[in-house]
Amino acid sequence: MASISPLHTWSQRPHHASFTAFSNNKGTNQYKKQFVFCCKKQEQEDDARTLNRFRIEEQDDDSRTKRREVMFQLAFTACSFPAIVSYALAANEDLRVYTDELNKFEISIPQDWQLGAGEPNGFKSITAFYPQEASSSSVSVVITGLGPDFTRMESFGKVEAFADTLVSGLDRSWRRPPGVAAKLIDCKASKGFYYIEYTLQNPGESRKHLFSAIGMASNGWYNRLYTVTGQFVEEESEKYGSNIEKAVASFRFI
């Protein structure tokens, strides 16, 4: 009678074992080969599944990092702009259509506002419009490049989550001493754009109202994010508020 004595040889993984059986019987040797082959095959499948899981987790981490970078750029855009070189627009009517043939967009702006072009400073493009007289009111169009992972606005998540992340990222009212207070007023998604209304207020300063329209378009090589932001302080609300809101809402691609 054949005698079979199992010897347990543990692999580096604590939960996997390979078993080797010895026998004088030829059939038993065949069983040994098949059994070891099955164990090795199982280990290879486990390795493949583990590697695939790591790759998926790594891709998710990269995607989250890219989203955070874009959100940081949006937050920075809302708070500061590069130096603007201005030149006056002719004044005829209350609003006029400004067309940017290079960046493929149109926007209606107050006719007597000045047009400025700023140094990129890390941005692909920035254009700003503002009153001739000294004022905190303005409308800006900032264009930034995007990676291939971002193909539409929903790549950033739903508009509610996007708006909440943007505004909460600006809020510093919880600090001691408190910093800028940011409050989300409204948000909606329409025709490929995310529209966000919110306020910013530094301690001891006037509250600033902001309207943003954020959309995505390709220049033929890669997608770009267009962030249109109109802002005015409460004291200038009656004078500029309506036209600024109209200007942001009028933005479109051509």
Side-chain angles (χ1 to χ4, degrees), residues 78 113 131 133-139 180 198-202 204-211 229-245:
W113 278 27
E133 64 272 17
S135 172
S136 298
S137 301
S138 66
V139 174
V180 62
Y198 58 104
T199 62
L200 297 175
Q201 185 174 18
N202 281 307
E205 298 182 7
S206 298
R207 181 180 290 109
K208 184 183 296 184
H209 292 258
L210 298 98
F211 293 90
T229 303
Q231 56 182 319
F232 58 89
V233 293
E234 283 190 343
E235 293 83 351
E236 297 178 341
S237 175
E238 185 175 347
K239 187 175 184 179
Y240 298 121
S242 177
N243 280 343
I244 287 177
E245 187 174 358

Side-chain angles (χ1 to χ4, degrees), residues 16-166:
H16 289 296
S18 59
F19 301 93
T20 305
F22 294 94
S23 173
N24 294 325
N25 185 285
K26 185 176 180 181
T28 304
N29 288 334
Q30 182 67 25
Y31 164 78
K32 177 191 70 173
K33 294 178 182 179
Q34 293 176 352
F35 190 82
V36 172
F37 172 77
C38 290
C39 289
K40 290 182 177 179
K41 182 179 180 182
Q42 181 63 40
E43 289 182 359
Q44 291 172 351
E45 291 175 351
D46 289 344
D47 287 341
R49 282 194 293 267
T50 301
L51 180 59
N52 186 54
R53 185 179 72 250
F54 287 155
R55 285 174 176 170
I56 293 173
E57 291 174 352
E58 186 179 56
Q59 290 171 356
D60 290 343
D61 289 341
D62 289 344
S63 182
R64 284 192 291 268
T65 299
K66 291 175 183 177
R67 281 195 292 268
R68 283 195 296 268
E69 289 174 352
V70 172
M71 295 303 294
F72 173 78
Q73 290 180 353
L74 291 175
F76 179 80
T77 301
C79 296
S80 60
F81 296 97
I84 299 296
V85 179
S86 65
Y87 51 93
L89 296 169
N92 287 319
E93 301 175 357
D94 290 340
L95 294 175
R96 60 156 290 180
V97 176
Y98 171 80
T99 302
D100 188 324
E101 294 289 352
L102 178 62
N103 291 305
K104 304 299 181 184
F105 72 82
E106 287 184 351
I107 185 171
S108 295
I109 57 173
Q111 181 65 26
D112 60 346
W113 278 27
Q114 294 179 312
L115 168 64
E119 293 297 326
N121 191 25
F123 296 112
K124 294 295 184 181
S125 171
I126 178 170
T127 306
F129 310 91
Y130 50 92
Q132 294 182 9
E133 64 272 17
S135 172
S136 298
S137 301
S138 66
V139 174
S140 65
V141 181
V142 177
I143 307 172
T144 57
L146 291 173
D149 294 340
F150 301 93
T151 57
R152 54 179 185 160
M153 286 306 299
E154 287 75 9
S155 300
F156 295 101
K158 299 296 184 181
V159 64
E160 294 84 3
F162 180 89
D164 183 70
T165 301
L166 172 63

